[in-house]
Amino acid sequence: MSRRALTLLVAGFLTVILAVVAAWLPVPYVVLSPGPTENTIGEVKGKPVISISGHSTYPTDGKLSMVTVAYQGGPNNNIDLLTALRGWFDPTIAVVPEETIFPKTSSPKQVEQQNTQEMTTSQEDATIAALRELKIPVAEIVTVVAVEKGLPADGKLQVGDEITAVDGVAASDQNAVATAVRKATPGDQVRLTVKRKGTSTEVTLGTVKGGDGKARVGVTMGMRYQPPFKVDISVGDIGGPSAGLMFSLGIYDKLTPGSLTGGKSIAGTGTISLDGTVGPIGGIEQKMVGARKAGATVFLTPARNCAQAVRAVPEGLRLVKVETLDGAVKALDALRTGTGDVPACTGN
């Protein structure tokens, strides 16, 4: 063998070795793929996803499925280059930079905790949105979420206290409490009616001048919403806020006579706010694929995801544009009855 042929052979062999080694090197990317779907009006491991007690419920059929995205990779669990390359050539999979899912400012545990909290908040908001859509009254409670050190409320109010009135006037929300306090002259006292562990008491606080020149006592407030009956939602270890719309529809369906789906397999996604507004989500392409694989024929799509969705919609899946919970209910009514408007996603 000539020296030139030997050189080429050795170089080729080394190139192959280096390519093989490189293929198994970890890379800072995460692979996103279609995750499992769960029927919100069905069961998971023999337990209803949505359980309601203290109010009449009604039998239903069909499916109202939430959809998820599975991921592979992340800090301390990096994927290799070969896995990333396979993902880049698979239209049902997305390969994204690691920091898209795991920001450098947060640890993997913090990301997991945030996802869990977002799921909990999503379930609570979905419950309130569904009950409001049904015109079922929900108690709105002003609560103390923080007390500032060294200010008048310090040592007198506690996190979790419920503020029901200021100077004898009922407080409907946190803005009403703040407005009533600011009406006082800095240095004067205000009298708060507070419920703590089920017992009401009156707490008198001094006031100080805030940065805007108005009176303040040094509390941060939030709102807690209390349904008149119990609604439990259980989906295991799934996290994030994007199932809000489907939780609301599942609750609505169980609390109303008849079937919202008309027996169809319907999937969807979207965050939900307390007023029923549906917000956009991530991973729409993977969620549509997961929905279609699970047998869905209709996919409820947040309006702001429509342009992205129409470019990747699987065959046999009808995209329905939704902006509010009320709009989603009306679209499903129209699909079931064959009359009425069913808003479609467009590429605009």
Side-chain angles (χ1 to χ4, degrees):
M1 181 180 294
S2 69
R3 179 175 295 180
R4 180 179 179 183
L6 180 62
T7 300
L8 289 173
L9 179 63
V10 171
F13 177 74
L14 291 175
T15 299
V16 170
I17 294 297
L18 289 173
V20 170
V21 171
W24 293 100
L25 288 176
V27 291
Y29 289 90
V30 173
V31 171
L32 304 180
S33 58
T37 65
E38 299 293 356
N39 179 16
T40 61
I41 52 176
E43 296 182 346
V44 174
K45 296 181 180 178
K47 180 180 178 180
V49 173
I50 298 172
S51 300
I52 298 172
S53 55
H55 194 281
S56 298
T57 57
Y58 302 89
T60 187
D61 59 10
K63 290 183 178 181
L64 285 169
S65 297
M66 56 173 283
V67 287
T68 63
V69 174
Y71 73 85
Q72 181 183 0
N76 306 319
N77 189 30
N78 296 107
I79 61 171
D80 55 55
L81 180 60
L82 191 60
T83 299
L85 288 172
R86 284 199 299 263
W88 274 315
F89 286 102
D90 188 336
T92 69
I93 289 177
V95 181
V96 299
E98 186 177 270
E99 58 267 24
T100 303
I101 309 298
F102 299 95
K104 293 182 178 179
T105 55
S106 302
S107 68
K109 184 176 182 180
Q110 288 173 323
V111 171
E112 181 181 350
Q113 290 172 339
Q114 180 181 345
N115 287 338
T116 300
Q117 181 57 51
E118 287 177 342
M119 171 58 81
T120 299
T121 301
S122 173
Q123 293 173 356
E124 293 170 351
D125 291 353
T127 299
I128 303 307
L131 299 191
R132 285 179 170 175
E133 178 68 18
L134 290 164
K135 305 297 188 289
I136 296 175
V138 175
E140 301 182 3
I141 302 167
V142 182
T143 62
V144 175
V145 297
V147 179
E148 294 184 51
K149 292 286 186 182
L151 292 183
D154 187 17
K156 292 190 174 183
L157 294 182
Q158 299 177 8
V159 172
D161 284 349
E162 301 174 8
I163 302 175
T164 59
V166 181
D167 291 330
V169 178
S172 57
D173 57 34
Q174 62 197 59
N175 291 330
V177 174
T179 298
V181 170
R182 284 197 291 263
K183 283 182 178 178
T185 300
D188 287 351
Q189 294 183 328
V190 294
R191 179 169 46 89
L192 304 184
T193 304
V194 175
K195 183 181 285 186
R196 180 181 299 165
K197 296 181 179 179
T199 302
S200 288
T201 186
E202 290 192 349
V203 179
T204 300
L205 301 175
T207 60
V208 297
K209 184 185 289 187
D212 59 357
K214 302 289 186 180
R216 65 191 299 255
V217 296
V219 295
T220 301
M221 296 173 290
M223 295 297 296
R224 182 167 65 84
Y225 300 90
Q226 186 171 305
F229 50 87
K230 192 172 183 180
V231 178
D232 284 326
I233 301 175
S234 177
V235 288
D237 60 358
I238 296 172
S242 64
L245 169 63
M246 302 312 292
F247 287 144
S248 285
L249 288 171
I251 295 168
Y252 183 100
D253 198 11
K254 288 200 164 195
L255 290 173
T256 52
S259 168
L260 191 59
T261 68
K264 291 183 173 66
S265 178
I266 293 169
T269 188
T271 62
I272 197 78
S273 63
L274 292 169
D275 66 358
T277 300
V278 176
I281 51 78
I284 189 73
E285 297 94 337
Q286 290 72 46
K287 290 177 178 178
M288 290 189 299
V289 171
R292 189 69 187 106
K293 285 183 177 179
T297 56
V298 174
F299 192 83
L300 303 178
T301 312
R304 288 171 57 186
N305 286 119
C306 272
Q308 184 181 7
V310 296
R311 294 194 294 268
V313 59
E315 185 177 353
L317 192 64
R318 179 178 181 179
L319 300 184
V320 176
K321 181 174 71 173
V322 292
E323 299 181 80
T324 64
L325 173 59
D326 184 67
V329 170
K330 289 177 178 174
L332 290 176
D333 284 341
L335 284 170
R336 186 182 66 256
T337 63
T339 60
D341 182 41
V342 181
C345 277
T346 66
N348 298 327

